[in-house]
Amino acid sequence: MSAKIIDGKKVSALTRDEVRQDVEDWMEAGNRAPFLQVVLIGNDPASDVYVGAKTRACKEVGIETDTMRLPDTISAKELKNTINKLNNDDSVDGILVQLPLPTHLSSHDVIESIDYRKDVDGFHPMNVGRLTVGQPSFQSCTPAGIFELLKHYSIPTKGKHAVVVGASNIVGRPVSILLSREESIGKATTTICHKYTKDLTQHTISADILVVAAGQPSLIRGEMVKEGVVVIDVGINRVADENKDKGYSLVGDCHFESVKEKASWITPVPGGVGPMTVAMLMKNTLLAAKKSIYPE
Ligand code: NAD
């Protein structure tokens, strides 16, 4: 078997088209454009790239955006005051603080200081808690993007064994919660693995759906999965590549060549989950502007 490709670029373009149309309708109805405030602390080059992709997508769909650049010397108190001002500013619909933060700042404290009604990343404990109990919430963008892909390709999850490798708060754990919920999409028997899991293969080999978000290139190889598995590779890793002008290539957490021979469906890296994350951020920002999740 050679897997069919789950085309994140295509589905992301469709999602962004939908959002663009919805933004147009929203503004034609007399509302102002949605506004996303990005907060970027320090000079991490990868964060610059991610923020660039997000602001370009905003422009494309008609969402206004601004990037507030703050020095990596900012104190926790100063940052909290800045976020508070944004929380109280009615012209700001969504607030995104780009992670990772400089080490002297606690991401838990910073995320919790954002008004959960403007938390378009879906990282605030209020949103995570509501997601866990099946209440309307901002869903974090990467897990929501994965579900959009499964929906688009009509890949069933009900009754399947889903294995998630990686247990971070922003990807692995929320994906495992969504998969295990007894909601319209979900209903999977879910196993979550992490770096302390003994004998990873024992789990991955029995997966009908395998989501990998570990940040380890080639962690999953063909011999670790069963025939017909659906593979969602979330990892984005830079590996040295002298054939590329940049000097590196982007690869996922799966050894694509061997895994694709066993899988029925697979997301490529790049061009799989990554573009969906940005598209779902656009969707969340529009929901925030419309106050759809938390009506006043
Ligand atoms: P993280 O470092 O916060 O968490 C990694 C998780 O993987 C941890 O739970 C850890 O225990 C587990 N892990 C690490 N090594 C392991 C191993 N050998 N076996 C089993 N589990 C292992 O990472 P994250 O923020 O969740 O990101 C994971 C990957 O996904 C990274 O490559 C990141 O760049 C990528 N990512 C992609 C997107 C996207 O839009 N496509 C979004 C977020 C993160």
Side-chain angles (χ1 to χ4, degrees), residues 50 142 165-168 170-172 193-196 200 213-216 219 234-237 253 273-274 277:
Y50 291 134
T142 304
V165 180
S168 73
I170 64 169
V171 191
C193 304
H194 40 63
K195 64 185 171 199
Y196 303 105
L200 188 59
Q216 304 288 325
L219 176 65
V234 186
I236 303 178
N237 307 291
D253 287 350
V273 176
T277 299

Side-chain angles (χ1 to χ4, degrees), residues 89-195:
D89 183 342
D90 287 340
S91 67
V92 174
D93 298 307
I95 302 171
L96 182 156
V97 179
Q98 184 65 41
L99 302 177
L101 297 174
T103 48
H104 69 282
L105 297 169
S106 149
S107 57
H108 285 301
D109 291 350
V110 172
I111 288 165
E112 236 176 316
S113 70
I114 298 171
D115 184 332
Y116 63 88
R117 293 163 297 191
K118 298 188 179 190
D119 168 41
V120 287
D121 254 341
F123 294 163
H124 192 287
M126 177 68 132
N127 284 310
V128 179
R130 288 174 66 99
L131 173 134
T132 306
V133 296
Q135 286 275 87
S137 64
F138 288 110
Q139 298 192 350
S140 57
C141 301
T142 304
I146 292 170
F147 275 75
E148 201 67 21
L149 288 173
L150 294 173
K151 207 162 69 184
H152 180 86
Y153 287 95
S154 304
I155 295 171
T157 54
K158 185 176 164 187
K160 303 288 179 189
H161 182 208
V163 176
V164 181
V165 180
S168 73
N169 288 335
I170 64 169
V171 191
R173 194 178 311 281
V175 168
S176 72
I177 292 168
L178 284 167
L179 283 164
S180 68
R181 285 188 346 183
E182 294 180 52
E183 304 287 327
S184 59
I185 206 164
K187 301 188 177 94
T189 305
T190 307
T191 301
I192 183 159
C193 304
H194 40 63
K195 64 185 171 199

